[in-house]
Amino acid sequence: MSTDALVVVTCSGRVRGDGTSGRGRGSATGEVRVWRGIPYAAAPVGALRFRAPQRREPWDGIRECVEFGPSAPQSASPSVPADLASAADEDCLSVNVWAPWPGRGDARPPDDASRPVMVWIHGGAYCLGSSAQPVYDGARLAWTHGVVVVSFNYRLGALGFTDLSSFGPDFDTNCGLRDQIAALEWVRDNIAAFGGDPASVTVFGESSGASAITTLMTVPSARGLFHRAIAQSPPATSVYGARRAGSVARRFLDVLGVEPDRADVLLRAVPVADLVAASDTVVDEVPTGTPGTLAMAPVVDHTLVPRYPVAAFQQGLSHPVPLVIGSNRDESSIFKFMKSPLLPVTGESVDAMLAALADDHPDLPRERIVQILAAYPGAPAARRALGVSRDAAFRMPALWVADAHSARAPTWMYRFDHATPMLRAARIGAGHATEVPYVFGNFGTLHVDPTFWLGGRRSAGEVSRRVGKRWTAFARRGVPASLDGSKHWARYDSRERATLVIDTRDSIVRDPDRELRVAWGDQALGFQ
């Protein structure tokens, strides 16, 4: 292979990658070029801790970029096991790029054309995860579909999503969200050198990564940084006001034993391990005390994030980019299976969530809560709880966004229903995040992966092939058509509500969750 093809000149200096996928997701050596751990901002340490990301100083010579950069500081979660594939460190702001060799790939462009770019934003409730997780390896997606794939790390937990701005002018709001914008600016300024088209950037992400996308679609400073968006299971209402965010910040300081009037000095001297431990305490406390809320999430600061995102969509203030959005049929099952406190999954916790929502919306007619509960008739209390939490967190926010955005830009809605026999037997079904391996084509990335213990690999492979073609066709042409005889995916609008139900066989269903949608209503219900 040519060594020169692995050296790319970025705005900060030259970087060298390697010519293998690094994880063997069906790609032989040399089929995909990959650069890992390219810094896109200065290390957010010392005086830059809790501040907006700053420009990285250029380097001399060639920087070797063959290993993933550090993950954002976080603790290993026993309820959400994940192979981060890299050690954690505050100096975590780096990007990874997968690009087919010039002239290679099934969907290769003409020699003088650039490839569409797909930028992945990982999920993890704004407190967990890493772009280095094996399931997010972009080699197969890049090679099979001829696209340039980018992923990146951003600050998580208290370091990225605690609003300390009320404790002094030296704290910036929404640091993690600002990191994401800085990464997209890096893509705009540098991706052409890797063979990507900076005028054809699609952001795609899952869970909090998808919620970040729906938020960025309403952030003025993100305008023009991406041209299409795919939001997989976005908890789009998990963006809070300054009052709620301030109470979380005060609790964070209390756990650390830091006086608010000295926060600007002391927080920069606290060891990062202590910050992570305090963040974990608050992350567990908040959804336990107020089910349905997250401790760490974007905040409406009226500067970077001027208004609640769903409200901005409904007011016609979202960026008019084409959007694919949807949720999974059994979103909440995985939270029950893992005993995670991040989502209410018992009758008591769901009742507490609905009561808190009613208190947070004093203008909400009380009969609306009764109407919502009545939409789940005949179900055992446990199953009703799973349905209510699924719809409150994921399905309804996706529908509220789709209804509003479809009047402004082309929008497509899906529901992911496919599950292997083992996942059905385990009562997980099409649970939260189970669609991610289908998107990347990466199965078997867990240390112990039971997904295919009872078969279903061939069927899953076919579903993955269709999903990959639709997602990358959308990135290439702005229309999620696979062009291989698969079911035509009609655009979504608030009249027909055509929805692609993704399963062993795809189908188009008009308004598939009509009864539930009507019960929840058009007014977005989220914690303020």
Side-chain angles (χ1 to χ4, degrees), residues 205-208 210-211 231-235 326-328 331 394 414 432-433 435:
E206 184 268 341
S207 193
S208 59
S211 180
Q232 301 168 206
S233 304
S327 61
N328 295 359
E331 293 278 6
F394 303 108
Y414 73 87
H432 189 62
E435 89 289 358

Side-chain angles (χ1 to χ4, degrees), residues 116-411:
V117 181
M118 299 185 71
V119 181
W120 174 254
I121 304 180
H122 74 77
Y126 296 112
C127 62
L128 299 167
S130 165
S131 64
Q133 290 175 244
V135 71
Y136 304 146
D137 185 280
R140 183 185 290 273
L141 196 62
W143 168 251
T144 304
H145 301 288
V147 296
V148 173
V149 178
V150 178
S151 64
F152 60 87
N153 289 337
Y154 55 97
R155 281 171 284 181
L156 301 171
L159 288 164
F161 292 97
T162 295
D163 180 14
L164 300 165
S165 60
S166 61
F167 303 121
D170 292 331
F171 296 111
D172 289 318
T173 58
N174 292 305
C175 289
L177 207 61
R178 294 177 192 273
D179 293 344
Q180 296 173 5
I181 292 171
L184 290 170
E185 290 172 340
W186 184 94
V187 170
R188 177 196 62 198
D189 297 339
N190 293 281
I191 204 63
F194 297 84
D197 184 357
S200 180
V201 174
T202 299
V203 288
F204 67 131
E206 184 268 341
S207 193
S208 59
S211 180
I213 287 171
T214 54
T215 301
L216 290 171
M217 289 178 69
T218 69
V219 170
S221 58
R223 182 182 298 274
L225 294 178
F226 54 91
H227 312 94
R228 287 167 289 281
I230 302 173
Q232 301 168 206
S233 304
T237 54
S238 294
V239 180
Y240 306 124
R243 182 177 178 181
R244 183 177 297 274
S247 68
V248 171
R250 286 189 294 276
R251 176 58 183 155
F252 174 65
L253 294 185
D254 183 56
V255 173
L256 280 172
V258 171
E259 293 296 329
D261 59 356
R262 299 192 64 203
D264 57 341
V265 175
L266 296 180
L267 282 181
R268 288 179 173 84
V270 173
V272 67
D274 293 347
L275 294 177
V276 171
S279 178
D280 288 347
T281 296
V282 179
V283 162
D284 287 342
E285 283 183 355
V286 168
T288 301
T290 308
T293 62
L294 298 177
M296 312 299 174
V299 58
V300 179
D301 55 9
H302 303 291
T303 52
L304 186 79
V305 182
R307 53 185 58 82
Y308 292 98
V310 175
F313 276 98
Q314 293 180 334
Q315 294 165 18
L317 298 174
S318 57
H319 304 322
V321 300
L323 171 67
V324 169
I325 190 169
S327 61
N328 295 359
R329 182 187 59 196
D330 308 303
E331 293 278 6
S332 52
S333 62
I334 197 74
F335 296 90
K336 180 179 180 180
F337 181 81
M338 293 183 172
K339 298 181 173 60
S340 171
L342 293 175
L343 201 70
V345 293
T346 65
E348 295 80 4
S349 61
V350 165
D351 288 344
M353 176 187 69
L354 292 175
L357 276 171
D359 289 341
D360 222 30
H361 295 268
D363 58 335
L364 182 72
R366 298 292 165 166
E367 57 267 23
R368 186 172 170 193
I369 300 298
V370 176
Q371 183 181 7
I372 290 171
L373 291 174
Y376 302 84
R383 191 185 307 168
R384 184 181 71 178
L386 290 176
V388 173
S389 63
R390 171 201 64 201
D391 296 338
F394 303 108
R395 183 169 295 177
M396 287 312 304
L399 282 168
W400 289 323
V401 168
D403 277 345
H405 195 65
S406 63
R408 184 160 172 76
T411 301

Side-chain angles (χ1 to χ4, degrees), residues 49 52 76 96 114 130 204 266 271 285 310 313 448-449 486 503 518:
R49 185 186 271 182
N96 318 296
S114 299
S130 165
F204 67 131
L266 296 180
E285 283 183 355
V310 175
F313 276 98
V448 178
D449 192 340
S486 298
D503 207 335
V518 171

Side-chain angles (χ1 to χ4, degrees), residues 104-116:
R104 302 285 295 276
D106 290 352
R108 59 182 179 271
D111 291 340
D112 60 347
S114 299
R115 297 176 185 271

